[in-house]
Amino acid sequence: GESVGLHLPTLSVQEGDNSIINCAYSNSASDYFIWYKQESGKGPQFIIDIRSNMDKRQGQRVTVLLNKTVKHLSLQIAATQPGDSAVYFCASFVYNFNKFYFGSGTKLNVKP
Amino acid sequence: NAGVMQNPRHLVRRRGQEARLRCSPMKGHSHVYWYRQLPEEGLKFMVYLQKENIIDESGMPKERFSAEFPKEGPSILRIQQVVRGDSAAYFCASSRGDREKLFFGSGTQLSVL
């Protein structure tokens, strides 16, 4: 289900380092996953997605890893930049409820 | 190709008034979702609609809140007799279908005085 009403955990990284943001999902009926980036005052922006028949997908500077055994999803950002500072949400599509559920989010703070 | 359009961007209402939030999905998208977000918190699902149908409204309060997605025109989230606790950012998202990418609008920030 959804995690709501929780204050955001924060991950602080140095500019240039790699970032890893984690997400756990609970429903084994999840078969499609998306990572979103939300900057202050804006709507969530699509970053990368992955379907359950894959365990890894790469984009530009981002990689998503899916471990269905432990119901875990991660987003790796290479060479993190100040512009990457935002809140990151994972979303999972649960097919027996036919809708997306969102994680509670992680705030990424990139230090120059 | 315009993205998901929400208006107004900011809406101020006094307690007891009505709030109407509009969402025009991306071209070719027939699925619309509404989410609510409080500061420093996650996105809380409210309602999922397809054209002329409410598919899932399990996240929407039973009283004062309603949503529609007519055959023509934008989706509307309506909040009657607003209270201070309704103050939040309301985001709309659209997709082409199930298990398709959700694209979000910029949100409507509702402030209830």
Side-chain angles (χ1 to χ4, degrees), chain B residues 29-47:
Chain B
H29 286 196
S30 59
H31 296 226
V32 166
Y33 301 77
W34 285 93
Y35 291 86
R36 170 190 158 109
Q37 187 178 41
L38 294 172
E40 301 293 303
E41 292 191 6
L43 293 156
K44 182 177 185 294
F45 169 79
M46 297 182 73
V47 62

Side-chain angles (χ1 to χ4, degrees), chain A residues 2-8 31-32 34 36 38 41-44 46 49 51 89 93 95 97-100 102-104 107, chain B residues 9 33 35 37 39-45 48 50 55-56 58-59 91 95 97-107:
Chain A
E2 298 174 283
S3 297
V4 295
L6 301 174
H7 289 281
L8 299 170
D31 62 358
Y32 176 50
I34 306 178
Y36 286 92
Q38 187 178 26
K42 297 184 179 179
F46 173 91
D49 60 353
R51 298 198 182 266
F89 293 99
F93 186 84
Y95 62 79
F97 292 116
N98 203 32
K99 66 185 180 191
F100 281 95
F102 280 80
S104 54
K107 186 181 243 184
Chain B
R9 190 81 174 84
Y33 301 77
Y35 291 86
Q37 187 178 41
E40 301 293 303
E41 292 191 6
L43 293 156
K44 182 177 185 294
F45 169 79
Y48 163 36
Q50 294 179 22
I55 306 301
D56 181 345
S58 59
F91 289 98
S95 70
D98 293 341
R99 294 187 192 80
E100 296 283 344
K101 296 173 193 173
L102 277 183
F103 291 89
F104 282 83
S106 299

